[in-house]
Structure formats: structure tokens, C-alpha cells
């Protein structure tokens, strides 16, 4: 079965700094989802990537899927305290759009004012 | 975000109790999911319903019993749980078609504590 490894596990940055979170798969990624979770709450959908080389942005968050489709990165520009939370990547590895997503363990982001 | 709601938000129960978790989605989706999130472990998919029929059951103990009476409502019935079942239980929904339509939208979760 597919495994997703996220790095780093946790990150503390000063407000205004840029940061990158990585998600690496043991298999080819056919659909890669990024979510954000506040502690003890539900997941908020951020972006979904399907094509190798694809890049999407929403406000100050940019996600990319590499050409070989085995790694995705999430980049936050000029971080703010509102960006704090746990970022999770989830993947559909079936190629047909299955019901089952595999998730990474998450990256905990803290932003210091 | 009120697309997917869950009640209760917090639940404390004894090992001999019977309780139910409720999930409701207002997004017009056809598929609904139950996930379990334990500390320091990835989200674990428990059950999937598509068009009110169960399509996935990931070896979940029988003390967890799902019910999907219609495409907007999903329940998780709990009985004789163990302390290790304490976790955040998340509900999600999506369209039942392929590709980007599979984006799952999550509820706020129910924090369950089993004493």
C-alpha cells in the first residue's frame, strides 16, 4: 500500500518568513490533496494536484506536484499567525479516482508573531 | 464552514455505554466517510458509503456500526468500546464520481473519550 512521508514533522517560523513542507510518496501520485487542520478540529481543503508539474496557488500558499509525480511541496510566503496549524497531504494512488485516500502524519506549523 | 456538520463535538462514555455519532452534509454529495484520527498516527479510513451503500470497510471492529439512511446523513453507532478507541472521529463527504470530484470535505469532528 502507498505511504506518504511528510517533512518536517514540525516547524516553528517567525511571522513574515517563508516556509516549505514536503510530501513524498512511495508510489506514483495520481491525485494529491493538501489539507489544513486546527488542533482537534476538522480538515480544511486547500488544493488538489493531479498532473506532473502542476502548480496551484491560493492567497499566499502555493502547492506543486513534481514531474515524476512522487513528491509534492507546499510553500507559504510571508507566513502569518493565521497559517498556524497542521498541514496534511493525502493521496489517491489508484489512478482511477478511488474512495480511499492515504494520508501523511502531518506537519505542525507554529508561527511566532 | 458548515458544509459538513457533526454532533456531538465532544463525547465521554463508559465502556458499557451505547452512543451514536451523527454527521450531516449540505453539499449535495453522494459519498460519505468515517475516519479515525489518533495521536501521532495518520488518518485511518473506517467506512465509506456511496449512494447509501457501504463500499469500503477497512477491518473495523464490530463495536463500530455505521448507518447511512440517505445521502445526507451518516451515523456511527458505538457499543462496548475500549479506552484505545478514544480519538477524534471525522466525517467527510464527496461526489461519487472520479477525478477532482473525489475531493473530500470534512466535518469538525467528534472528540471521543472512552473511560
Amino acid at each position: 500500500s502507498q505511504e506518504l512521508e511528510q517533512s518536517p514533522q514540525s516547524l516553528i517560523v517567525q511571522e513574515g518568513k517563508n516556509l516549505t513542507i514536503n510530501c513524498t510518496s512511495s508510489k506514483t501520485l495520481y491525485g494529491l490533496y493538501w489539507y489544513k487542520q486546527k488542533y482537534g478540529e476538522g480538515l480544511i481543503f486547500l488544493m488538489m494536484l493531479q498532473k506532473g508539474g502542476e502548480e496551484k496557488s491560493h492567497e499566499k500558499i502555493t502547492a506543486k506536484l513534481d514531474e515524476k509525480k512522487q513528491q509534492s511541496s507546499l510553500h507559504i510566503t510571508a507566513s502569518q499567525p493565521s497559517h498556524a496549524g497542521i498541514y496534511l497531504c493525502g493521496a489517491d494512488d489508484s489512478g482511477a479516482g478511488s474512495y480511499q485516500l492515504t494520508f501523511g502524519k502531518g506537519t505542525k506549523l507554529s508561527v511566532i508573531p | 464552514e458548515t458544509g459538513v456538520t457533526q454532533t456531538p463535538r465532544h463525547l465521554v462514555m463508559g465502556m458499557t455505554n451505547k452512543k451514536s455519532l451523527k454527521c450531516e452534509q449540505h453539499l449535495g454529495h453522494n459519498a460519505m466517510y468515517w475516519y479515525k484520527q489518533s495521536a501521532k498516527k495518520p488518518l485511518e479510513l473506517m467506512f465509506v458509503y456511496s449512494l447509501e451503500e457501504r463500499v469500503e470497510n477497512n477491518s473495523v471492529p464490530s463495536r463500530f456500526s455505521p448507518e447511512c439512511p440517505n445521502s445526507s446523513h451518516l451515523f456511527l453507532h458505538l457499543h462496548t468500546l475500549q479506552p484505545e478507541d478514544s480519538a477524534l472521529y471525522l466525517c467527510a463527504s464527496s461526489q461519487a464520481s472520479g477525478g477532482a470530484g473525489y475531493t473530500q470535505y470534512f466535518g469538525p469532528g467528534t472528540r471521543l473519550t472512552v473511560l
Side-chain angles (χ1 to χ4, degrees), chain A residues 71-104:
Chain A
Q71 186 176 53
S72 178
S73 61
L74 186 83
H75 184 77
I76 298 177
T77 304
S79 58
Q80 300 170 358
S82 61
H83 288 127
I86 300 170
Y87 289 82
L88 294 127
C89 62
D92 161 25
D93 65 350
S94 72
S98 73
Y99 293 105
Q100 181 145 356
L101 294 183
T102 300
F103 283 89

Side-chain angles (χ1 to χ4, degrees), chain A residues 46-47 49 55-64 75:
Chain A
L46 296 176
M47 280 171 277
L49 304 165
E55 179 176 321
K56 288 186 178 177
S57 294
H58 176 68
E59 298 180 344
K60 294 185 178 181
I61 301 176
T62 300
K64 300 178 185 180
H75 184 77

Side-chain angles (χ1 to χ4, degrees), chain B residues 61-112:
Chain B
S62 60
R63 57 186 183 269
F64 295 91
S65 175
E67 179 189 1
C68 187
N70 55 62
S71 60
S72 299
H73 295 86
L74 184 65
F75 295 89
L76 187 63
H77 304 298
L78 317 170
H79 64 97
T80 59
L81 294 190
Q82 305 297 311
E84 59 265 29
D85 296 322
S86 299
L88 183 67
Y89 288 84
L90 291 162
C91 173
S93 71
S94 72
Q95 291 294 344
S97 55
Y102 270 140
T103 298
Q104 295 179 24
Y105 294 88
F106 286 78
T110 294
R111 171 66 64 185
L112 174 67

Side-chain angles (χ1 to χ4, degrees), chain A residues 33 35 37 41-42 97 99-100, chain B residues 33 37 50 58 102 104 107-108:
Chain A
Y33 300 78
Y35 289 89
Q37 184 179 29
E41 298 183 9
Y99 293 105
Q100 181 145 356
Chain B
Y33 311 73
Q37 188 177 36
S50 176
N58 284 4
Y102 270 140
Q104 295 179 24

Side-chain angles (χ1 to χ4, degrees), chain B residues 23 25 30-34 47-49 71-74 91-93:
Chain B
C23 176
Q25 60 94 3
N30 296 317
M32 297 187 77
Y33 311 73
W34 279 117
F47 301 103
V48 181
Y49 277 82
S71 60
S72 299
H73 295 86
L74 184 65
C91 173
S93 71

Side-chain angles (χ1 to χ4, degrees), chain B residues 3-32:
Chain B
V4 181
T5 58
Q6 290 186 243
T7 54
R9 293 294 310 276
H10 300 272
L11 179 62
V12 179
M13 59 187 289
M15 293 168 61
T16 57
N17 291 160
K18 289 184 179 181
K19 296 286 185 182
S20 295
L21 310 184
K22 178 183 176 182
C23 176
E24 184 173 358
Q25 60 94 3
H26 310 273
L27 301 171
H29 290 161
N30 296 317
M32 297 187 77

